[in-house]
Amino acid sequence: MSSEDLLARYAAAFMPNYGVPPVALVAGQGCVAHDADGKEYLDFIAGIAVSSLGHAHEALAEAVSNQIHSIAHTSNLFVNEQEVLLAEELRRLLGGEGRVFLTNSGTEANECALKLAIKYGKANGRSYFVAAENGFHGRSMGALSLTGKQSIREPFGPFALDVRFVPYGDADALRQAVTEECAAVFLEPTLGEGGVVPPPDGYLAAARQICDDTGALFVMDEIQSAIGRTGTWFAHQHDGIRPDILTLAKGLGGGLPIGACIGFGPYGELFAKGDHGSTFGGNPVACAAALAVLATIEKEGLLDNAARVGALLKDGLSAVEHPLLKGVRGRGLWLGVVLAEARAADVEAAARDAGFLVNAVQPNVIRLAPPLIVTPDQATALVNAFPSILDAVSPKEG
């Protein structure tokens, strides 16, 4: 089976919504992935920030294998120990508080948060929502209604919900948009799909205060940023705040599909019996994987590794002198490399040719989100290769 064969079969069998991806991956070990032709890549995107422990980590493989030999599915009709352990562990990492609902994905976690906010709004005479321009919260219809990326939103509107969008990072605009009729504010701690755009210092604290002043719920979408990616368990912890509702997904399962919605205080008790559900949410195999991810991050000191290697990567890339490189932004192992021209797709292709998997998340931004186990030597390898990658796209003059 060659890459060409597999990609052709993919093109014939699947809906064309993704286009045909450029690489057919068949195996991996740590931060290294292999395609169907045997070419080796250093993985600096980790399946869009999902593969926290890299590929084929023994702790993940053992946890999944053991669980699937015990019981693979229970549904929500019965309790399984793994889902209870995971909910308890998430509560511990969040300071012992919160009520958890487990989902299969990030967009489902945000659907849960949205339903909580709708129920809160109906009970308190609050009718609309506020979200950020260029924000991304998922592609299911409720989450899509909160997504401020026009290119993916407009083809499927109009939407049933009244969602008002404000510029991300503009506290004054947020303050003007949020009144006592607003049910909830949905924000990411940094715009992910929007190009890894951090807010100004103090913005999230200001958003917290605005919600406190008006009574709107503050929903923090940490689908991409949580589970150690920025050097803390949850990105909002850098700002010393706590949202009313928190959503998680990508890195939680280390490659197994799982998400979570956590409500704090009274907002974790808004649902009554029958208000919400999921057949696969809380699946014991996915929960066992998530428990293995959390335990391994703690055991191997990966929060510190994310902060340390992330700084090395950011500083190294920032020091590259090239007319196509404008700057590097972000925190930990969640970085956006900003280009001076809209050549991100070309840079992604050139990086791939050089043996690095990266992601052109915006026309002028490359997103980096490697596994949390990435080593200093692997980060240095990308830094050292980056000038020639940029040269391959836009040769330096002189």
Side-chain angles (χ1 to χ4, degrees), residues 72-155:
H73 177 68
T74 60
S75 83
N76 56 41
L77 298 178
F78 310 100
V79 173
N80 70 79
E81 185 181 18
Q82 299 302 315
E83 66 179 345
V84 176
L85 290 170
L86 178 58
E88 291 174 342
E89 185 65 357
L90 289 173
R91 282 165 53 91
R92 181 183 73 84
L93 296 176
L94 287 161
E97 298 181 84
R99 292 292 194 103
V100 178
F101 180 84
L102 294 172
T103 69
N104 308 299
S105 67
T107 198
E108 289 174 80
N110 281 333
E111 292 290 337
C112 177
L114 183 56
K115 285 181 70 174
L116 287 169
I118 289 172
K119 188 165 186 182
Y120 172 78
K122 283 182 177 290
N124 293 280
R126 296 169 177 271
S127 59
Y128 73 93
F129 304 85
V130 172
E133 295 172 0
N134 291 319
F136 184 85
H137 300 288
R139 295 175 186 266
S140 53
M141 289 303 287
L144 185 60
S145 70
L146 296 161
T147 292
K149 192 174 179 180
Q150 292 301 312
S151 60
I152 63 173
R153 172 185 165 84
E154 286 184 352

Side-chain angles (χ1 to χ4, degrees), residues 126-133 162-187 203 206-207 209-211 213-217:
R126 296 169 177 271
S127 59
Y128 73 93
F129 304 85
V130 172
E133 295 172 0
D162 180 359
V163 182
R164 303 172 188 180
F165 293 96
V166 295
Y168 185 73
D170 186 336
D172 290 337
L174 184 64
R175 190 171 290 107
Q176 290 177 14
V178 180
T179 73
E180 292 184 354
E181 294 180 355
C182 176
V185 174
F186 281 71
L187 290 176
Y203 176 67
Q209 188 62 53
I210 290 166
C211 290
D213 291 344
T214 59
L217 297 187

Side-chain angles (χ1 to χ4, degrees), residues 21 60 94 97 105 148-149 151 157 169 173 211 227 246 257 263 269 288 298 312 323 328 334 340 358 366 378 394:
L60 190 63
L94 287 161
E97 298 181 84
S105 67
K149 192 174 179 180
S151 60
C211 290
I227 318 300
L246 175 68
E269 299 180 1
E298 210 156 49
L312 187 156
V328 183
W334 194 30
V358 300
I366 294 291
Q378 290 168 331
S394 178

Side-chain angles (χ1 to χ4, degrees), residues 234-255:
F234 309 96
H236 70 266
Q237 293 173 329
H238 291 289
D239 294 82
I241 60 160
R242 194 191 72 178
D244 298 312
I245 298 172
L246 175 68
T247 56
L248 313 171
K250 293 184 183 296
L252 180 58

